[in-house]
């Protein structure tokens, strides 16, 4: 059974979301503040973390950053604000996706399923080791190295890189990446793509992914 950790300080929301997700077949663990959430996350055993942004003790964005120091477990943020401040900070901090509260349950479940698929069924067009300068991508072993040193990527970052590697030198539009990497069957927030690209550049080299203004991104093959 898939295990989720929900960190939410509102008692009513925590209970209702936990109960609803249990009905969808998930095994739920909960925490009521950021510090206890961090302790539970570090204990391991969870397939996905669902974090509220506004948490006492340690806010959800800081919690996300702390988790990312040692783990690449999928992280979904819940933000009560849709003005972009929490969203951008959370995605920069390592979150894979977000939902805005009040949460629509079918949307939440769809996002959870998408993240879990990303973590367990990362696919590539070929199983050979692909090399782009000092970057090597072993699509079969799902391993990335830069100048011989292993690069730790989250499932979303890895899937994004494999999508670029399957189309080297070809411009991929943000809308295309939202469909192929994030599994969005509807128009999504392109900032999710931009900020994931930003995180990926920091790990594999800023020059490796080029921005084609007004269109999207492409993997540099030189």
């Amino acid at each position: 059974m898939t295990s989720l950790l929900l960190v939410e300080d509102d008692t009513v929301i925590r209970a209702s979301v936990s109960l609803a997700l249990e009905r969808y077949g998930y095994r739920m663990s909960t925490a009521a503040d950021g510090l206890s959430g961090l302790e539970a996350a570090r204990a391991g055993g969870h397939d996905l973390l669902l974090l509220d942004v506004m948490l006492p003790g340690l806010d959800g964005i800081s919690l996300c950053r702390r988790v990312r120091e040692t783990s690449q477990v999928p992280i979904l943020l819940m933000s009560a604000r849709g003005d972009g401040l929490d969203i951008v900070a959370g995605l920069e901090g390592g979150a894979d996706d977000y939902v805005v509260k009040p949460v629509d349950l079918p949307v939440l479940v769809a996002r959870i399923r998408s993240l879990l698929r990303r973590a367990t069924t990362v696919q590539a067009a070929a199983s050979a080791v692909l090399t782009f300068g000092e970057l090597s991508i072993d699509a079969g072993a799902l391993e990335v190295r830069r100048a011989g040193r292993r690069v730790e990527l989250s499932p979303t970052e890895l899937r994004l890189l494999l999508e670029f590697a399957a189309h080297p030198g070809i411009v991929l539009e943000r809308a295309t990446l939202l469909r192929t990497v994030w599994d969005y069957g509807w128009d999504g927030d392109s900032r999710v793509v931009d900020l994931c690209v930003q995180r990926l550049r920091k790990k594999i080299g800023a020059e490796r992914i080029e921005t084609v203004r007004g269109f999207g991104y492409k993997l540099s093959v030189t």
Side-chain angles (χ1 to χ4, degrees):
M1 184 180 292
T2 302
S3 176
L4 310 183
L5 172 62
L6 169 63
V7 187
E8 167 63 66
D9 64 314
D10 187 293
T11 304
V12 174
I13 295 176
R14 186 171 66 250
S16 61
V17 171
S18 180
L19 179 60
L21 292 176
E22 283 177 345
R23 289 175 176 168
Y24 275 88
Y26 297 111
R27 182 172 64 246
M28 298 299 300
S29 301
T30 62
D33 61 76
L35 292 175
S36 59
L38 179 61
E39 183 178 354
R42 285 179 169 172
H46 303 103
D47 299 296
L48 182 143
L49 308 185
L50 185 58
L51 312 179
D52 183 32
V53 169
M54 303 298 291
L55 292 170
L58 183 70
D59 66 81
I61 295 169
S62 298
L63 173 55
C64 180
R65 292 194 181 103
R66 296 283 292 275
V67 169
R68 279 287 175 256
E69 292 174 358
T70 57
S71 173
Q72 299 300 328
V73 63
I75 296 177
L76 181 61
L77 284 181
M78 298 189 300
S79 171
R81 298 188 301 186
D83 61 1
L85 296 177
D86 291 340
I87 294 166
V88 171
L91 293 170
E92 287 180 337
D96 295 284
D97 205 348
Y98 73 93
V99 291
V100 176
K101 296 164 67 176
V103 175
D104 181 270
L105 184 59
V107 172
L108 175 61
V109 172
R111 297 289 178 87
I112 290 172
R113 287 174 175 170
S114 176
L115 282 176
L116 291 172
R117 282 197 301 271
R118 240 175 280 169
T120 58
T121 61
V122 175
Q123 298 292 330
S127 59
V129 176
L130 307 174
T131 302
F132 305 95
E134 64 178 13
L135 183 70
S136 66
I137 305 167
D138 188 332
L142 301 181
E143 186 174 283
V144 178
R145 291 184 179 275
R146 181 184 180 190
R149 301 185 65 177
R150 184 166 181 172
V151 179
E152 296 294 335
L153 300 177
S154 72
T156 303
E157 292 163 353
L158 178 57
R159 189 165 174 178
L160 178 60
L161 179 57
L162 290 174
E163 187 67 20
F164 281 127
H167 306 86
I170 297 175
V171 178
L172 299 179
E173 296 181 348
R174 291 172 176 82
T176 298
L177 292 170
L178 282 170
R179 290 194 302 271
T180 58
V181 177
W182 278 264
D183 294 328
Y184 280 11
W186 60 92
D187 290 337
D189 187 343
S190 64
R191 289 174 298 181
V192 174
V193 177
D194 296 335
L195 290 166
C196 191
V197 167
Q198 178 179 307
R199 296 201 311 267
L200 189 56
R201 280 172 165 161
K202 291 179 181 178
K203 296 182 179 183
I204 67 171
E207 75 288 346
R208 188 54 53 196
I209 301 176
E210 298 179 14
T211 300
V212 181
R213 193 172 300 277
F215 293 93
Y217 302 99
K218 68 177 180 178
L219 183 71
S220 173
V221 298
T222 59

